Structure formats: structure tokens, C-alpha cells
Amino acid sequence: MKLDITDKSLPVYEALASTVRLHVIQLLAKQPMNIRELAEAVNLSSAIMTMHIRKLVKAGIVRTEMRPGKGGVQKICSLQVEHADITFPNQVDPLREYHQSNISLGHYTDVKVEPTCGLATIERFIGEVDDPRYFLDSERFQAQILWFSEGYIEYKLPNFLLSTQNPLELVISMEIASEAPMTNNNWPSDISFYLNNVKLGTWTSPGDYGERRGKYNPAWWPDAINQYGLLKHLTISQSATYMDGIKLSDVSLKQVHVRDKQWTLRIAVEKESENVGGVTLFGNGFGNYKQDIVLRLYYDKPLLAESISKSDLVNE
């Protein structure tokens, strides 16, 4: 969500100016809930909760839909915003130099997966679902979504960093979720990330989302299976590794050999984990974000020796 300091963003700021509504957002970040459930969770009446939900809907933070339930039709509330950026007037935002690599999901170089599993292009499934052999099918290079319950997938990519450039941080972004039979918004999965055989850390995905269709899913994609994920940013800095600003480990850029000419990125669900709930990766043609796996290596501009003249040295 893009915000600024104008009246058009005021509904969002008003919606966030309430401890009750902040609590509601925290609850909906875990799973969709109906009005009665939300009211009971914060000890309010359903009528008062309805007023709070209206403000959140007006701000575009929450969406509602009517669904049949045990006691009749009920209003289900779900969170539709994951992050917000605020642009201030006259803000000085210096451009940072970076090298970017985009990895198409099907261009993996090593794989070992267990069912449930599968992959698909934007036109069709590749082979048979739940048969790991099709992860080696020649058509897999066109895959824009893939999922597995246990194992790993690995990508190799070139590193374009020059010897004169000082690496500052590496940001890896992807749309990702768990892998449940069918879908389940409450299906935790411990997903581990490795770069150049160094374990960066483990992030627990909350679920495998399917209560509504993904924004970019092709029309033929079934409603009952993986629909969308969360856009996550894994950042390796000069001192530690973070997932969306939350520290995962003390692994730094230096420890992952960031100057190697070639990098290896592994995404794994390990059987010894506490929550073995699989992983789903969404590419450019699926989910809610129009991107593949993106890596950005930010660096300082090179200091060229030519910029220091002999006259400068003499003057000193």
C-alpha cells in the first residue's frame, strides 16, 4: 500500500489510530475471522466491532465477504494489506546502486522433493501431480508455480559484483507460502534458506492461503488449491540476516562468500524441523505479486583512482 501526506491517505491513518483496530489487524494477520469471532476476541459487542471493521474496509486494509455458515450467512473479514510505504514531501531518498538477478521458478539446478508436490506453467500442470519425477521434465523450465511437502529446490546464478564495488546488503524477495493438502490458512511450516551452502536461517510460514483466488492466477487454475502467498524479503547485511526486518541469524555477507563468481540459493523444508508443512513458490504468472525470485545486491559506488589528481595530492 502506497501512502502519502495528503487527504487521500487520511482514512488509513484514521483506521490505524485505534488500539482495537490494531488488535483486529493482528488477529486477521493469522487467519480470516467473522464479526462475532473478532468481537469475542477483543471483548466487544458485534455491533461495535462492525463499526471498527467499516473503518478498516474504507481504508482498504480489510476486505469482507458473505459466506454460508452453521447459523446462516456470516461476514468473513480478511487482511488484504501486508505492508505500507509512506512518502513524505521533499524526502531525500538517495538512489542506491545494485545488481539484480531474476530467477524463473523452473530454472532450478537441483531438486529433491516429496509429495504432496507438483508444478505448473500458466497453461497447465506439468505431468502428474504428486509425482516428483516430473520436476525433471523438460517442460519444467516454463514452470511459474511449484510446491512440495518436504525436501529442497536449488538455484545457481551469476554474481556481477566488481572487485572495486563494496557489497552492502543482499535482498532476496519471493512470494511464498506453506503447502497443505488442498489449502489451509493455519498450516505452519519451517522453511530454511541457504546461500552458498551456508544456512541463513529458518522462517515459519503461517499457512497455505486459499480463501480467495490469487490476483494473477490463470482462469483454469482450480479454486481448491494454492492461491497466493506472502511477499517476503530476506536480507543479508554486513552484520546479520533478517526476514522483513526481523533477525533470523548472525550470518553476514562475508560469511556467505558474497564475492564468489557464482551463487547457490537453496529453499528447503527439512524433515527434522518442528513444523514440516511444505512450501509453495509463486512466480510471475501466479499469486498476488507479478514477480519471480528476485535478488538485489546493493553496493557502494566504486572509488576510482582517476578521481584523485596529482594536483590534489600536492595541495594536501
Side-chain angles (χ1 to χ4, degrees):
M1 176 180 284
K2 299 291 186 181
L3 303 174
D4 55 25
I5 311 302
T6 65
D7 290 346
K8 70 177 184 180
S9 296
L10 195 56
V12 177
Y13 303 134
E14 291 176 344
L16 297 176
S18 163
T19 54
V20 171
R21 291 192 287 276
L22 292 177
H23 191 184
V24 168
I25 291 172
Q26 293 169 351
L27 291 169
L28 294 181
K30 299 177 182 178
Q31 61 183 16
M33 300 173 69
N34 62 35
I35 296 291
R36 180 183 57 80
E37 292 169 335
L38 288 169
E40 291 177 353
V42 298
N43 197 26
L44 291 175
S45 69
S46 293
I48 296 298
M49 179 53 63
T50 298
M51 294 172 59
H52 285 294
I53 290 298
R54 284 175 183 166
K55 280 188 173 289
L56 291 168
V57 170
K58 181 181 178 182
I61 297 172
V62 168
R63 66 186 295 268
T64 62
E65 60 180 323
M66 305 305 294
R67 293 187 193 171
K70 293 182 179 179
V73 177
Q74 56 183 330
K75 181 177 288 188
I76 301 297
C77 308
S78 58
L79 192 64
Q80 65 175 3
V81 174
E82 294 174 13
H83 66 275
D85 297 321
I86 303 176
T87 301
F88 287 87
N90 301 320
Q91 182 181 18
V92 178
D93 184 17
L95 296 177
R96 294 197 297 170
E97 299 287 336
Y98 61 85
H99 295 295
Q100 178 168 312
S101 297
N102 298 287
I103 307 175
S104 182
L105 294 192
H107 284 240
Y108 46 84
T109 54
D110 194 12
V111 62
K112 183 179 181 182
V113 300
E114 297 292 337
T116 54
C117 63
L119 64 172
T121 71
I122 58 175
E123 288 89 17
R124 59 185 174 274
F125 290 109
I126 296 175
E128 298 292 332
V129 172
D130 293 338
D131 188 339
R133 292 177 298 176
Y134 285 99
F135 275 74
L136 298 178
D137 189 283
S138 59
E139 195 179 2
R140 54 98 165 178
F141 291 105
Q142 307 304 319
Q144 289 294 336
I145 186 171
L146 60 84
W147 63 96
F148 54 89
S149 62
E150 182 186 314
Y152 67 84
I153 198 155
E154 197 169 86
Y155 300 88
K156 292 188 185 298
L157 63 155
N159 175 16
F160 296 107
L161 187 71
L162 302 178
S163 60
T164 55
Q165 296 169 342
N166 178 43
L168 299 176
E169 66 178 18
L170 174 63
V171 181
I172 307 170
S173 65
M174 68 194 78
E175 186 173 354
I176 189 170
S178 308
E179 159 50 23
M182 307 304 284
T183 66
N184 189 332
N185 285 20
N186 184 22
W187 188 267
S189 181
D190 298 335
I191 303 172
S192 297
F193 302 90
Y194 293 78
L195 186 66
N196 297 335
N197 298 317
V198 177
K199 187 172 184 177
L200 303 174
T202 299
W203 167 71
T204 301
S205 168
D208 181 9
Y209 302 101
E211 81 285 357
R212 63 180 184 273
R213 288 189 64 81
K215 181 177 180 180
Y216 295 105
N217 292 350
W220 68 268
W221 186 249
D223 291 336
I225 58 177
N226 330 57
Q227 292 298 319
Y228 66 94
L230 303 176
L231 185 63
K232 306 301 292 184
H233 295 82
L234 182 66
T235 301
I236 312 165
S237 73
Q238 293 178 326
S239 59
T241 296
Y242 303 85
M243 180 66 86
D244 290 342
I246 299 175
K247 187 175 180 180
L248 286 187
S249 71
D250 292 321
V251 175
S252 66
L253 278 178
K254 185 177 181 180
Q255 290 172 277
V256 298
H257 314 293
V258 71
R259 289 194 175 277
D260 284 1
K261 298 298 183 183
Q262 176 180 280
W263 294 339
T264 301
L265 172 66
R266 174 178 288 198
I267 302 169
V269 178
E270 298 165 329
K271 62 181 180 180
E272 62 271 18
S273 300
E274 180 179 352
N275 301 294
V276 183
V279 62
T280 304
L281 293 172
F282 298 82
N284 193 32
F286 285 85
N288 285 346
Y289 300 91
K290 201 171 182 62
Q291 71 161 69
D292 296 311
I293 301 174
V294 178
L295 291 87
R296 279 190 176 182
L297 179 62
Y298 292 91
Y299 61 88
D300 281 334
K301 292 182 179 179
L303 178 62
L304 300 179
E306 297 85 61
S307 65
I308 305 176
S309 68
K310 292 183 179 180
S311 59
D312 291 332
L313 296 175
V314 171
N315 291 335
E316 291 181 359

